[in-house]
Amino acid sequence: MESRMLKRLAAYLFLTAVPGAVQPLVAQDFEGVVRQRTIEVYLDALADQGLDVSSALFEISIDEILALRSRLEADGSMTVSEDEILIKGHLMRMDASDQESGPGYATIDLRAGVTRMVSLDEGMYIEVTRADLEQMGGFGGEFESDPPTVTETGRTRTINGMNATAYEVSSSDGESLIWVSNDDPELTRSFGQLVEGVSSMSMEDAADPAVMVLEYGVPVLVQALDYDMYRIEEVMSVDRRSVSGDAFDPPTGLQRMTMQDMMGGAMPLGGGAAESESLGILGALSEMESPPAWVEYEVSGGWDVSGREDDVVMCSGTEDGFMGRSLGDVIIDLEADGPGDGRHEMSIYVADMTGRRFEGRGVLTVRPTGEESFGFPIYDVEFEGAGLESRDGGVLSVRGTMACAGM
């Protein structure tokens, strides 16, 4: 489990989170450091502790949830992390000391349309520009399902010294109670533009509940329920102070990797590396002798579809677990419960661009091939899920194989 903001800025950064068009920022924008705490815990673990795993969880104090930490962290049912977000007008940086590849951080420059993911242990950073995503044509758009509904509750409270108002957000993905504050108008404006910029090209996060309430203020406490997880994101402090512009630049001496490097250099090219640079990303992909990533799937039970799709898969395999996602006509998202290679239980959802979505549990088997793509290990992954359910009561099964380079 990872912070949702970290997912936004790291795991999916190079594919889906390059900022789109952004309104110009005005002079007096926020500058400082926001400290955030994220708690994620599986609902079945809370049910085992005798808690009602409905929206009644929103009324339980965070301290009461944290009191379960020692029992639930040991088996991976709960994670707690704290992150610092540095903001300087159109720039944002999030440090991730527990990042998969070790210490590092992610930065976004909305004005330049550039995102960078820095891994200090690996001595490298990945850089993606708005032009890269435009050339690739993106990976789809927003789902066509009904948009989330936002309801003001009229409830107010003070959260870590900030006056906040509560909003309920309901969607096909779950329910959220979000507390927003307008105590600092400059922070509201800067944070809103930054988060909207990050989410503007992200198929999953464009309807993120926290994004839906940005017009009302900065989310200072997000309590969110989906089909198997309870997530709490809390702003612990806001510190207005000068932030050096150097903090948003990668350290000197690190290897720079571009999208052309990631995609064009992943496999042997028919025309050679020099020719791939002149062809650009899409040309390089078309010249590859074999695809760098693919997924084969078979879905049955009310939605019968099968096929193979190339060049639409991303994955992350670490000592903490495995995450895989395909972003083609059929969207398949896998997240293993356990670390390492081998067979693991997992959470899975299967969806398409019409808003159809089925979620549930399954098993996957991760096997490293022993090969690498630009320094990243290549995995073969077999997956299977039965009894996946939709919000309207539909049930289906899915099975398939995925191959990808773990980022």
Side-chain angles (χ1 to χ4, degrees):
M1 295 184 291
E2 300 175 63
S3 159
R4 194 171 183 84
M5 182 67 81
L6 283 176
K7 281 186 176 180
R8 205 180 276 134
L9 288 177
Y12 302 151
L13 190 60
F14 74 100
L15 280 178
T16 58
V18 173
V22 180
Q23 296 297 318
L25 296 166
V26 298
Q28 305 304 316
D29 279 309
F30 178 82
E31 182 173 2
V33 179
V34 177
R35 188 166 61 89
Q36 174 182 281
R37 177 172 63 191
T38 301
I39 304 168
E40 291 186 314
V41 56
Y42 284 111
L43 295 181
D44 54 4
L46 293 176
D48 290 343
Q49 300 298 317
L51 297 181
D52 183 347
V53 292
S54 68
S55 57
L57 282 173
F58 299 156
E59 306 307 317
I60 297 176
S61 72
I62 295 175
D63 287 342
E64 188 173 344
I65 298 296
L66 285 172
L68 304 173
R69 181 175 181 176
S70 61
R71 277 172 280 174
L72 301 184
E73 270 191 328
D75 64 3
S77 298
M78 180 177 183
T79 61
V80 181
S81 61
E82 293 192 8
D83 306 293
E84 283 193 344
I85 305 171
L86 280 64
I87 300 176
K88 187 181 181 71
H90 62 284
L91 301 170
M92 180 166 73
R93 162 176 163 163
M94 172 173 278
D95 289 350
S97 58
D98 60 346
Q99 196 175 0
E100 294 165 353
S101 58
Y105 56 90
T107 66
I108 296 175
D109 183 338
L110 289 180
R111 186 168 294 162
V114 175
T115 61
R116 296 184 180 96
M117 188 166 56
V118 179
S119 174
L120 300 178
D121 278 0
E122 297 292 330
M124 58 171 284
Y125 66 94
I126 300 169
E127 180 177 282
V128 186
T129 68
R130 186 181 300 129
D132 289 333
L133 266 292
E134 290 172 352
Q135 185 177 6
M136 294 187 71
F139 281 88
E142 296 181 18
F143 290 133
E144 297 176 5
S145 56
D146 294 335
T149 59
V150 180
T151 305
E152 183 176 359
T153 67
R155 298 169 59 186
T156 60
R157 58 179 282 200
T158 301
I159 297 174
N160 296 322
M162 294 169 280
N163 298 312
T165 302
Y167 291 82
E168 294 176 346
V169 180
S170 298
S171 72
S172 59
D173 292 330
E175 302 175 75
S176 301
L177 182 67
I178 303 177
W179 296 82
V180 303
S181 175
N182 270 310
D183 283 358
D184 191 327
E186 293 173 13
L187 176 61
T188 299
R189 179 174 57 251
S190 291
F191 189 81
Q193 290 173 318
L194 287 163
V195 173
E196 286 182 331
V198 173
S199 299
S200 62
M201 294 188 68
S202 171
M203 178 176 53
E204 175 180 285
D205 294 322
D208 187 315
V211 177
M212 300 300 296
V213 299
L214 285 175
E215 63 180 289
Y216 307 112
V218 175
V220 294
L221 177 61
V222 177
Q223 299 168 269
L225 281 171
D226 62 22
Y227 74 99
D228 72 342
M229 186 78 69
Y230 179 39
R231 187 182 76 257
I232 302 169
E233 291 184 355
E234 179 183 13
V235 172
M236 305 298 293
S237 64
V238 177
D239 181 12
R240 276 184 167 274
R241 68 176 192 236
S242 177
V243 178
S244 171
D246 294 340
F248 303 92
D249 295 326
T252 58
L254 297 191
Q255 178 187 4
R256 173 176 173 264
M257 292 179 60
T258 65
M259 181 67 89
Q260 286 89 343
D261 295 327
M262 296 285 293
M263 304 298 286
M267 286 285 187
L269 301 176
E275 183 175 340
S276 73
E277 293 181 5
S278 64
L279 290 171
I281 298 171
L282 295 181
L285 285 173
S286 68
E287 292 293 312
M288 288 184 180
E289 296 178 357
S290 58
W294 52 266
V295 61
E296 290 182 344
Y297 54 84
E298 180 180 349
V299 180
S300 59
W303 175 24
D304 296 317
V305 60
S306 62
R308 171 180 169 127
E309 299 184 52
D310 297 329
D311 304 330
V312 296
V313 180
M314 59 174 292
C315 68
S316 174
T318 74
E319 61 183 13
D320 297 321
F322 176 87
M323 180 190 70
R325 164 178 284 192
S326 71
L327 294 167
D329 294 335
V330 174
I331 300 155
I332 301 173
D333 186 281
L334 317 171
E335 189 166 349
D337 295 348
D341 307 327
R343 182 180 173 89
H344 302 284
E345 293 187 0
M346 66 170 176
S347 58
I348 178 174
Y349 75 73
V350 180
D352 67 7
M353 294 305 297
T354 68
R356 181 162 30 194
R357 179 177 173 124
F358 294 78
E359 304 170 334
R361 304 286 294 171
V363 294
L364 60 75
T365 302
V366 181
R367 298 187 183 93
T369 65
E371 300 178 347
E372 292 187 348
S373 171
F374 211 88
F376 296 110
I378 297 177
Y379 297 95
D380 283 335
V381 183
E382 295 180 0
F383 59 90
E384 183 172 1
L388 277 60
E389 298 181 355
S390 65
R391 292 283 177 176
D392 60 7
V395 179
L396 61 70
S397 299
V398 62
R399 59 187 299 178
T401 304
M402 182 181 292
C404 54
M407 303 300 177

